[in-house]
Each structure stands twice: as C-alpha cells, then as structure tokens.
Amino acid sequence: GEDVEQSLFLSVREGDSSVINCTYTDSSSTYLYWYKQEPGAGLQLLTYIFSNMDMKQDQRLTVLLNKKDKHLSLRIADTQTGDSAIYFCAGNNAGNMLTFGGGTRLMVKP
Amino acid sequence: NAGVTQTPKFRVLKTGQSMTLLCAQDMNHEYMYWYRQDPGMGLRLIHYSVGEGTTAKGEVPDGYNVSRLKKQNFLLGLESAAPSQTSVYFCASSLRVPTGNEQFFGPGTRLTVL
C-alpha cells in the first residue's frame, strides 16, 4: 500500500513563510490533499492538487508537486498564529481511499 | 446543515466492555468512513461504506464491526474493548465521485480503555 511521510514538527515566527513537506510512494495517486486539524477538531480540507499539475496557488497557500521525486509541499505565506495546527497530506490510492501522512504540527510564535 | 456529527464526544471503558459509536451526516453522501488517530501515525482507516447496506474493511479492521442500515448513519462497534483501542475516532463522509475524494470529517470521539 501507499506510504505517506511527513516531518513531525515545524516552528516559525508570525509573518514568516512556512513550508510543510510530504513524500509519498504511490505514483498512481491522482489527487493529493492537504488537510488542517485544529485542536480538538476533525480534519478540514485546505486544498488539493491534481496529479497532472505541478503548482496550485490559493490565496496564502501554494502547493508544489514534484511527481518525479514524489514530493508534495505546502507553503503558507505570512503565517499567522491562527495557522497553528496539525497539517496532514494525503493521497488517493487505487481504491480511491485516502492514505494520510502522520501529520506535521505547525507552531507559530508571535 | 450540521455536516458530520459524532456521538459520544468522550468515553471511558473498562477492558472487555462493548460500545457503539454513532456517526451521522446530513449531506446525502454515499461514502462513509471510520478512522482512528494515534499520535504520529496520522489517520488509519478502520472500515468504510460505499452505500447503504454495504461495508468493507480498511487498513485496521480487527476488533471492530460496522453497520450502515441507513444512508445517513454509520455505526462503529467495539465488542470487547482492549487498551490498544484507546484512540481518537473520526468519522468522515464523501460524495460518490469517480476521481478525487474530498472527505468531510466529524469532530471526533476520544475513547480511553482502561
């Protein structure tokens, strides 16, 4: 099955950019997703990218996809304290189920 | 729209006890899922359903059973709880789409098994 890997923790200062990285193994994933989980809540879809794209921008969020290296990243510009959360990347597999990474905890310091 | 709701929010069980977690969605979604979330391990799929009356095993189905008698409800049962089932359980739902799979999540149930 697919493996999705993320680093566990990222700390940035308010106003800086954050870059959260993810690697995956299943090259047949047609969609790759970024979900955000705030404390005590469920996951909320932030953005997604179709596998034939290499970049997608949505306001402060930029998703970069390198299919050759199976590497996905999420850049948050002008990071705010409200961006503090756990971020999960996920890919859909052959059965159209999602495989999630372990999550990256983003801490934003004022 | 309430979206996806889960009951209860918290529960403490003793080893060997049974319980049922209820998930409800009001978005007329075909697909429903149960995940467990453990620290550093992301979400792992326990069971899922692609429509009323159907269920299928996910990645970690052992020790759990599910039922989807009504389209809007998906029940997760623990017949004989074990400490290894201490976790946060999330339900999700999605439309039946040929590609892509945006899932909508409930707020979670925190279960502790002593």
Side-chain angles (χ1 to χ4, degrees), chain B residues 3-111:
Chain B
V4 180
T5 58
Q6 292 182 232
T7 51
K9 287 187 169 49
F10 302 94
R11 186 72 187 268
V12 178
L13 290 179
K14 294 181 180 177
T15 298
Q17 287 185 316
S18 63
M19 78 163 294
T20 301
L21 281 66
L22 170 64
C23 176
Q25 53 95 3
D26 61 1
M27 296 174 283
N28 203 34
H29 284 171
E30 290 285 344
Y31 286 19
M32 295 186 76
Y33 315 82
W34 276 107
Y35 293 91
R36 59 178 289 172
Q37 183 181 28
D38 301 295
M41 298 186 72
L43 275 73
R44 292 183 292 167
L45 184 64
I46 304 171
H47 286 280
Y48 64 99
S49 167
V50 300
E52 182 179 317
T54 74
T55 63
K57 293 180 181 179
E59 183 187 352
V60 288
D62 294 341
Y64 305 95
N65 57 73
V66 287
S67 64
R68 183 101 182 266
L69 298 178
K70 292 183 180 180
K71 187 177 183 179
Q72 63 268 33
N73 294 338
F74 194 29
L75 305 179
L76 177 72
L78 285 73
E79 289 181 347
S80 179
S84 62
Q85 294 177 305
T86 293
S87 188
V88 181
Y89 291 86
F90 287 99
C91 176
S93 70
S94 68
L95 283 169
R96 185 176 184 174
V97 292
T99 56
N101 192 349
E102 178 182 355
Q103 296 187 12
F104 293 82
F105 283 81
T109 295
R110 186 174 293 276
L111 175 66

Side-chain angles (χ1 to χ4, degrees), chain A residues 31 33 35 37 42 45 88 96 101, chain B residues 37 42 90 100-103 106:
Chain A
Y31 285 86
Y33 301 82
Y35 279 83
Q37 183 182 31
L45 180 67
F88 292 91
N96 214 22
Chain B
Q37 183 181 28
F90 287 99
N101 192 349
E102 178 182 355
Q103 296 187 12

Side-chain angles (χ1 to χ4, degrees), chain A residues 2-110:
Chain A
E2 163 134 70
D3 280 334
V4 180
E5 301 280 342
Q6 298 178 239
S7 54
L8 284 178
F9 189 74
L10 176 66
S11 178
V12 301
R13 293 216 171 270
E14 192 173 17
D16 288 350
S17 292
S18 308
V19 180
I20 302 171
N21 294 304
C22 172
T23 58
Y24 61 97
T25 58
D26 188 350
S27 59
S28 68
S29 291
T30 50
Y31 285 86
L32 293 143
Y33 301 82
W34 283 104
Y35 279 83
K36 177 183 180 182
Q37 183 182 31
E38 296 185 352
L43 278 69
Q44 191 172 19
L45 180 67
L46 266 184
T47 187
Y48 66 93
I49 188 167
F50 190 48
S51 59
N52 70 351
M53 299 168 65
D54 50 21
M55 186 178 97
K56 181 180 179 182
Q57 188 145 8
D58 184 0
Q59 298 182 343
R60 292 191 296 122
L61 305 179
T62 304
V63 179
L64 295 178
L65 175 60
N66 181 328
K67 282 199 74 174
K68 175 175 167 289
D69 295 339
K70 299 191 185 71
H71 183 267
L72 181 73
S73 68
L74 173 70
R75 179 176 181 270
I76 306 172
D78 187 25
T79 313
Q80 303 297 307
T81 53
D83 295 323
S84 293
I86 302 176
Y87 292 80
F88 292 91
C89 66
N92 64 322
N93 58 31
N96 214 22
M97 295 295 119
L98 293 185
T99 300
F100 288 87
T104 299
R105 183 179 295 274
L106 174 65
M107 178 181 290
V108 182
K109 296 179 182 177

